[in-house]
Every structure is written in structure tokens, then in C-alpha cells.
Amino acid sequence: MNKPSRLSSDAVAARIRKRYAAERNFRLLGLSAVVFSALVLAFLLFSMTSAGIDGFRRAEVRFALDLSAEQLPVDPRSLAQGDALTQLQSAGLPAIVATAASTALGEDGAAQVDASAWREVAERIADEPTLLGSKIGVSLPVTGDLASGLRGGGSPAMQALAARLKREGKLSWAWDPGFLSRSDATDPQAAGIWAALKGSMLTMLVTLLMAFPIGVLAAVYLEEYAPRNGWTEWIEISINNLAAVPSIIFGLLGLAVFLAIFPNFRSAPLIGGMTLALMTMPVIVISARNAIKAVPPSIRDGALAIGASRVQVVFHHVLPLALPGILTGTIIGMARALGETAPLLMIGMRAFVATPPDGFTSPSSVLPVQIFLWSDEIDRGFVARTSAAIIVLLLFLLAMNGVAIYLRNRFERRW
């Protein structure tokens, strides 16, 4: 009687089925991980978008405004010769707006229009002086209390007033493009993110100018010139460990070193950028070393063979070929720095800043810190503003990562 072959035996068939089942399970686990990550990301984007939509809107009241010469005696030609806003304020524009609001909205109408709303009318007149002498319709922001009443919060009296004005068609929500061009304020209706956004840009510029050249030069030295001994290994291990150090430690370092040297620049983009550069530099060094190491040795040997010096080999051949990888690592490191809050809080970038910074040494805020401060506010209006600011920050981060992916795909070389 012939024995069954080993390949056709039941035991072998069972082992093959087990291996195939293990492979299917592994693929299912991988697919489950991808689906779970996608669901978490989708939930984050949906929750932020749904909550942040209101942050890009504000409550406005509509009424008519009489700009006749009897009410506002201003020569349209004079607006082009000086400060138009000051002229209109001196001519009584704030009082005209308050009177018109009380006439249209009721006895308490003037108190429910934002105190700085007349500036929007003044800017509109300055852009179009022919409005003087006519009667125009305006839509102006209301106070935070009335906006809260429109949301269904606040006192019963404010809810009733908001409901009445809404029924009469005088109060509604409107898109607020000024959210991107205004600065921080105590009233959520008047709050914007321009000061924090400009502060983030200046801080990132300082970070890039400091971290990129120092990080790349350190990577070139370690990869191309440093002797292979115990000291070099100790430096490499230290850099790798620095990349994993919590960011608040770099904030303490910036507080102890930079603010001790420049005590008058507290909360300035210069100090914030220098602190974030310390945190970003190890990431740039590691990514740059990997990119330089990926350049084939034959490139170096060929350049040396035709008489190039070591410096020429590095700067004419190795660095240009490694640049896509270096830029990708740099942008990812910068994106991480953009979202950091802890180190900037340690150096004092948590103050209320109502004006955009004039330069690198002016007091400033940054987007993550602005979001942190708004999230601690009691007024419900800041909840929507906080979500809207998070959306802007996420778009900023996605744009930076998109640039990194483009640079990698555009300049990547395959050997």
C-alpha cells in the first residue's frame, strides 16, 4: 500500500490553510487600523468644522443711516487730504450711528450695537466718499450679550429682544471676513486672529532662519567630516534623544537663557522663534543626515576622481541631491513647531495682544496660544471662535505638509 506524499497529507494542507488564515487576519488588522485612523480624522474634522462654522459668522443688525449734510457736515474732498476716520469721528458719526440704532431698534438699540461699529461705517465712507449726503443701509455687529441671546443663551430679556429683532428681520447671522483681519478682543463679536496669525508667521520665520542652516551644517559635518569615535557617537545619541525631549523643556531652556540675555523682548516673535529653533533643530539634523546618507557613494567617488575637493563634493553634488529629503524633514519639523503651545507659554507669549506685531521684537501672540486662551473664556461666543481658529491652524498645517509632499515628489531622485 502506497503512503500519501507529504505535500498532499492532511497535516500539510492544514498548515497551509493556517498560514493563509494568518495572512488574511493580518491584512484585516492592517485595514482595520487604516479605517480606524480615517474615522478618527473624519470625526475630528467634522466636529471642528461643525463647531467652527459659527466662528466665521457674527450677529448683525440692519437699519438705515442718514448721512445728509445736516447730520454729517463733512466735505467729501477733505477725506482724501487727511485722516478720514478722525474727521468723521469729530463730525459726530458715532452719535449718528447710535441715534439711528435707537430709532430703528428701540429705546435700548444704541446700547446693543458694538461700540466700535461706527468705524466700519467710517471705513466704508472713506472708501466711497460719494455716500456722504445720502441715506444708506448698514449692517453692524451687535454686542456679545445680544449675540448670545440670538444663540438662545444669556438673560431672558436679551433672548426676547433677539427674538423680536429676528422676527422683524433686523437681526441675523452674517459671514464675518473680519475674523481673519481683526485682532484679539474681549468681546467675541469683535475678536479676530490676525495678530496671532502674523505673530505665528514671524515666529516661524525666525525658527527657520536659525534652525535650518545650523541643522544642515551640523548634519553635513557629522556625516561627511566627523571622525568615527566615542565622542561622535555620544553627540549622535544626544541629538537623537533631544528630538524626543518634551517641548516644555525647551520652553524652560528659552526662559532661562534667551530671556536672561534679552529681558525686554518677553513674548516677542524673536524669543519664540529662537526657542522653537532649539526644538526643531534635532529633527532637521536627523532628517538631513538620513538624506545625505542616501546619496550613493559613487557620486562622491566620481567627483573626487575628477579632482573636486571635499567641500566641492558636498556643496556641488551631495547637498543638491539630498535637498528634497532635507526640505521635507525641515517642513515637517516646522509644522510641529507651529502647533506647539507649551514652550511659548513658558516664555510669556500668553498676554492679551490687541494689535498685530510691528516686527520681530514687538509683543505678540501665536495661533496655538490664542486658541488656548480663548478655550478658557466663559463667554459661549468664544467657543465658536476657538473652533474657527483651530480650523485656520489645521489648514495652515495641511498647507505646510502639502508643500513638503510636493517638494519630495518634485525633486525626488531614485537610484
Side-chain angles (χ1 to χ4, degrees):
M1 183 177 180
N2 294 332
K3 294 182 178 179
S5 68
R6 296 181 59 190
L7 292 178
S8 60
S9 67
D10 294 340
V12 171
R15 284 200 296 271
I16 292 175
R17 285 197 298 273
K18 187 177 180 180
R19 287 202 297 270
Y20 286 165
E23 184 175 346
R24 283 195 301 273
N25 292 335
F26 181 77
R27 291 175 61 182
L28 285 175
L29 283 175
L31 181 61
S32 301
V34 173
V35 171
F36 177 75
S37 302
L39 288 176
V40 171
L41 180 60
F43 174 76
L44 173 66
L45 294 177
F46 175 76
S47 60
M48 284 297 105
T49 304
S50 58
I53 289 297
D54 283 344
F56 292 100
R57 301 191 300 171
R58 68 177 182 180
E60 292 182 347
V61 287
R62 288 185 292 276
F63 55 87
L65 195 62
D66 186 4
L67 301 179
S68 62
E70 293 78 15
Q71 296 288 332
L72 192 64
V74 176
D75 185 353
R77 293 171 296 183
S78 66
L79 297 180
Q81 299 172 358
D83 188 351
L85 267 62
T86 302
Q87 291 185 48
L88 292 168
Q89 183 181 15
S90 301
L93 182 59
I96 294 173
V97 172
T99 303
S102 296
T103 303
L105 308 178
E107 184 181 356
D108 201 26
Q112 298 308 324
V113 177
D114 189 86
S116 62
W118 70 269
R119 289 182 175 276
E120 295 190 14
V121 181
E123 290 171 356
R124 184 177 169 187
I125 295 174
D127 293 337
E128 196 175 353
T130 55
L131 294 177
L132 289 172
S134 61
K135 194 171 184 179
I136 63 174
V138 294
S139 296
L140 299 179
V142 300
T143 61
D145 291 339
L146 186 55
S148 180
L150 185 59
R151 289 190 187 91
S155 64
M158 203 56 65
Q159 292 182 28
L161 176 61
R164 177 177 67 80
L165 294 177
K166 185 178 179 181
R167 282 196 306 272
E168 295 173 356
K170 297 176 180 176
L171 178 63
S172 63
W173 293 104
W175 289 107
D176 181 20
F179 175 68
L180 298 176
S181 59
R182 292 193 302 268
S183 298
D184 196 9
T186 55
D187 188 343
Q189 282 279 101
I193 61 168
W194 173 236
L197 190 59
K198 186 176 180 181
S200 290
M201 293 177 182
L202 293 176
T203 303
M204 287 299 102
L205 184 59
V206 174
T207 303
L208 179 65
L209 293 178
M210 284 197 63
F212 183 73
I214 297 176
V216 172
L217 288 177
V220 168
Y221 177 78
L222 289 174
E223 198 60 35
E224 298 288 336
Y225 294 99
R228 299 302 170 192
N229 54 31
W231 283 105
T232 303
E233 291 182 2
W234 181 79
I235 292 173
E236 291 175 354
I237 293 172
S238 299
I239 292 174
N240 292 335
N241 287 332
L242 280 175
V245 168
S247 58
I248 196 169
I249 303 300
F250 291 100
L252 291 171
L253 184 61
L255 176 65
V257 177
F258 297 137
L259 280 182
I261 300 173
F262 306 106
N264 296 327
F265 295 157
R266 177 178 289 271
S267 78
L270 177 65
I271 302 299
M274 293 165 71
T275 304
L276 292 180
L278 293 178
M279 189 189 70
T280 309
M281 215 175 296
V283 178
I284 296 178
V285 172
I286 293 171
S287 62
R289 287 192 66 194
N290 290 332
I292 292 171
K293 195 181 298 182
V295 177
S298 58
I299 301 294
R300 299 175 177 81
D301 296 339
L304 291 172
I306 60 175
S309 66
R310 290 290 299 275
V311 173
Q312 288 175 321
V313 170
V314 170
F315 286 96
H316 294 179
H317 301 278
V318 175
L319 274 184
L321 293 173
L323 194 58
I326 296 174
L327 290 177
T328 302
T330 301
I331 293 175
I332 291 175
M334 294 291 294
R336 178 199 170 196
L338 177 64
E340 285 293 343
T341 306
L344 300 178
L345 290 176
M346 296 304 300
I347 61 169
M349 296 189 80
R350 55 183 172 180
F352 176 81
V353 180
T355 56
D358 295 329
F360 294 104
T361 56
S362 302
S364 173
S365 183
V366 290
L367 267 178
V369 176
Q370 188 71 78
I371 292 169
F372 172 75
L373 294 177
W374 282 355
S375 67
D376 204 31
E377 294 284 348
I378 298 175
D379 196 316
R380 284 184 57 194
F382 278 107
V383 175
R385 293 297 195 191
T386 302
S387 299
I390 291 174
I391 290 175
V392 174
L393 179 60
L394 287 177
L395 291 176
F396 206 161
L397 291 172
L398 288 174
M400 292 185 71
N401 282 292
V403 171
I405 293 172
Y406 170 77
L407 290 175
R408 184 186 63 197
N409 294 336
R410 176 70 176 80
F411 299 105
E412 187 177 27
R413 297 281 185 90
R414 295 185 183 276
W415 312 103

